Amino acid sequence: MTDNGSRTTDHGGPPGLGESYWIATTPGTSHPPLTEDTEADVTVIGAGIAGLSTAWELARSGRSVVLLEADRIAAGVTGYTTAKLSALHTLVYDRLRRTRGPDGARHYAQSQQGAVEHVVETARVLGIDCDLERGPAFTYVRDPESTGQLRAEADAAGAAGLPAAFVTETGLPFPVAGAVRVEDQAQFHPRKYLLALAEDFRSRGGVIHERTRATGLHEGTPCRVTTETGATVTSRDVVVATHYPVFDRALLFTRLSPRREVVVAAPIDAGRDPGGMYITQEEGKRSVRTAPYGDGQRLLIVTGETFKPGTADAGEKFAALTDWTHRHFPGTEVAYRWATQDNDATDTVPLIGPFHPGARHTYVATGFGGWGLSGGVAAGRLLAGLITGDPPPWAGLYDPRRLWSAVREAPAFLKHQAETGLHFVGDRLRSAHADSAADITPGTGAVVRVRGRRCAVYRDEDGTAHAVSARCTHLGCLVAFNATEKAWECPCHGSRFAPDGSVLQGPATEALEAREVE
């Protein structure tokens, strides 16, 4: 780390698993934790793009806002994105046209393309230098039998109002059978944008507290948010924008499916830039784009190899994605690699709006399905509109209280519940992952049974064993170890913990309890 707080990556050695390019090329932040009770018009929990956008929109409207972040702003899921800012979300419009009707597809396009234009205009007005570039986005297939699906998607996206067309030529270094091409999309450096947005938020009177984990939400008039520091924020309205909701009263965990995927990034000559943003569902998913990277170069960013947290080790996924990158972009050398996490709503559309059917002053934003940049900006506009009394015309599409759509999409809902139940019950019926703590080699972790209790044991490189409870503090599922990322992961709802049990990622808010094994 440099003296000014920015993080750097060693390009000379083999790539390690670490910070994303976005975090490595921006300064760190240091906003004070909340240490005493305070009041505001609105409390926003979570300072990724959804939380920061919501807080900024509300501050622009004249509301006083307190923004709480468990770690550092724009350094969680948003800091590990691929940073595509697009309304083309793989294959969504034909499905929405069938399940939500033409108006549903049109509202989705309006909200997502509106988010793209909103970022472009905000960056212009505030003078934010965030490497923003306009260009086309593509969803492609290489299998000729899949082109019919893409033709239907192009037709549906065009009918919804996007500048979409079916094409057979792209800038990729390999042939495709077909692609949906949508013009006027964008890509940018999300951390540069959001750090500037945070400063403008503060200039409007907004308050940011980092290292302040929210642990309790008391709804009422007013609402109260309690934190692990012991301090409380009292406000009329509360927004929960923690990617995966950290409070379960709405039972949204039954409608969210977490998934993890890996990213590799490598410099290439500017002349090899494929000239757009690309994604396919083939080959375990592949997403390709580039970013500015010095004179005569671009940074190639490739994403894919999705898996459910707690069910796979990221090492094999990185190897597969790196091999794909080398085959299709020969001569590249990976300079950065990182992993990210997303939540899919079982009925396709994010959940943005009132937290639950009885909510009057609490709101939520979650389930962005891998498209959290445009979705997070749209969430900020939607939630600010609800709180100020001027919601956008497409607000109803995202309403979390839309139980009718969960019923309509019952197969996806039931599949998610079956998978969760399999882990919750099945993992308990399995024998422990190791016979004893003594069998765990340095640098690895496993679940062992100690005096009748399952313990999650990690042995560090020095040989010291670190033991914690193997039960996730969210709803009690058993965690599994991701050796590449050195994290305990819950396969039920995606909570992640460091080897010492501290929370890395919610919905869990409490650490795994320490255990003694040696």
Side-chain angles (χ1 to χ4, degrees):
M1 182 174 289
T2 59
D3 291 339
N4 67 359
S6 24
R7 299 161 175 84
T8 60
T9 294
D10 180 5
H11 290 242
L17 175 67
E19 295 170 322
S20 71
Y21 171 70
W22 320 119
I23 291 179
T25 53
T26 46
T29 57
S30 184
H31 299 285
L34 180 68
T35 56
E36 58 184 28
D37 294 351
T38 189
E39 297 181 0
D41 293 331
V42 186
T43 305
V44 177
I45 307 171
I49 192 165
L52 272 166
S53 295
T54 302
W56 180 73
E57 298 284 356
L58 288 166
R60 280 208 307 162
S61 74
R63 269 48 174 192
S64 61
V65 184
V66 169
L67 178 60
L68 305 179
E69 169 54 46
D71 191 13
R72 298 298 187 189
I73 64 172
V77 172
T78 299
Y80 289 82
T81 177
T82 51
K84 291 180 180 178
L85 191 60
S86 173
L88 180 63
H89 296 172
T90 316
L91 299 172
V92 68
Y93 290 99
D94 186 46
R95 181 176 182 177
L96 286 177
R97 182 168 61 176
R98 288 183 281 107
T99 60
R100 307 290 182 90
D103 286 345
R106 180 171 52 83
H107 283 155
Y108 191 87
Q110 287 176 343
S111 59
Q112 299 298 321
Q113 187 63 36
V116 174
E117 304 303 334
H118 194 56
V119 169
V120 172
E121 179 63 10
T122 299
R124 184 191 68 80
V125 171
L126 298 184
I128 302 174
D129 181 6
C130 57
D131 301 338
L132 194 148
E133 300 173 322
R134 302 301 296 262
F138 299 81
T139 296
Y140 73 90
V141 295
R142 304 180 72 178
D143 181 2
E145 294 185 2
S146 298
T147 56
Q149 190 178 26
L150 288 192
R151 290 182 183 277
E153 182 69 9
D155 179 73
L162 295 180
F166 177 82
V167 299
T168 56
E169 298 291 332
T170 73
L172 290 168
F174 49 80
V176 302
V180 180
R181 175 175 176 142
V182 174
E183 307 293 344
D184 301 327
Q185 303 308 290
Q187 55 189 23
F188 70 148
H189 192 306
R191 281 269 296 178
K192 289 181 179 180
Y193 174 80
L194 289 173
L195 293 183
L197 202 68
E199 287 307 304
D200 191 71
F201 167 69
R202 294 180 65 208
S203 74
R204 297 173 185 272
V207 178
I208 299 174
H209 291 293
E210 295 180 320
R211 301 294 170 90
T212 304
R213 187 178 299 279
T215 56
L217 171 59
H218 306 273
E219 298 183 61
T221 309
C223 298
R224 290 183 297 115
V225 175
T226 56
T227 68
E228 65 180 0
T229 66
T232 297
V233 185
T234 301
S235 59
R236 180 180 185 273
D237 298 293
V238 175
V239 173
V240 180
T242 54
H243 190 62
Y244 199 119
V246 294
F247 306 114
D248 292 323
R249 65 201 59 188
L251 300 181
L252 293 184
F253 62 84
T254 65
R255 299 161 64 188
L256 295 171
S257 180
R259 59 180 164 88
R260 201 154 180 79
E261 61 186 272
V262 300
V263 185
V264 297
I268 60 173
D269 291 337
R272 300 176 67 189
D273 185 352
M277 295 159 276
Y278 299 86
I279 193 167
T280 182
Q281 292 180 331
E282 297 175 335
E283 302 181 87
K285 182 185 173 184
R286 292 293 182 265
S287 170
V288 177
R289 64 156 287 197
T290 66
Y293 198 72
D295 293 340
Q297 286 190 313
R298 303 281 294 181
L299 186 68
L300 176 71
I301 302 170
V302 182
T303 309
E305 296 297 318
T306 62
F307 61 99
K308 198 176 183 70
T311 65
D313 187 86
E316 294 181 359
K317 305 298 184 180
F318 277 114
L321 195 65
T322 300
D323 178 68
W324 187 92
T325 303
H326 287 163
R327 282 189 287 110
H328 295 292
F329 295 87
T332 53
E333 182 176 347
V334 173
Y336 298 87
R337 64 176 194 160
W338 66 90
T340 188
Q341 191 155 315
D342 290 302
N343 297 308
D344 298 312
T346 56
D347 64 350
T348 306
V349 176
L351 303 151
I352 309 168
F355 202 173
H356 54 81
R360 296 294 178 268
H361 296 286
T362 53
Y363 304 85
V364 70
T366 187
F368 295 111
W371 301 100
L373 295 186
S374 60
V377 173
R381 302 177 71 194
L382 192 163
L383 295 173
L386 289 174
I387 291 171
T388 60
D390 186 24
W394 36 264
L397 175 68
Y398 295 93
D399 195 326
R401 300 169 297 184
R402 59 179 194 265
L403 296 180
W404 60 269
S405 67
V407 173
R408 177 176 291 179
E409 306 262 348
F413 176 83
L414 294 174
K415 179 183 177 183
H416 170 55
Q417 295 311 304
E419 291 174 349
T420 300
L422 180 63
H423 286 293
F424 189 83
V425 177
D427 289 353
R428 283 164 168 74
L429 298 178
R430 286 191 301 151
S431 60
H433 306 169
D435 291 334
S436 72
D439 296 330
I440 300 172
T441 58
T444 64
V447 173
V448 300
R449 191 182 293 276
V450 179
R451 293 182 291 277
R453 295 192 300 180
R454 283 185 172 87
C455 296
V457 182
Y458 167 72
R459 192 175 297 280
D460 63 28
E461 299 295 345
D462 295 331
T464 303
H466 304 268
V468 294
S469 169
R471 287 171 55 92
C472 176
T473 55
H474 176 225
L475 290 179
C477 292
L478 294 184
V479 297
F481 195 62
N482 181 334
T484 301
E485 299 187 72
K486 296 293 188 291
W488 296 105
E489 298 178 341
C490 175
C492 291
H493 306 109
S495 294
R496 303 178 70 247
F497 305 86
D500 65 0
S502 57
V503 178
L504 296 175
Q505 195 157 3
T509 60
E510 298 180 8
L512 299 174
E513 184 179 347
R515 293 279 192 264
E516 291 290 338
V517 295
E518 293 183 337

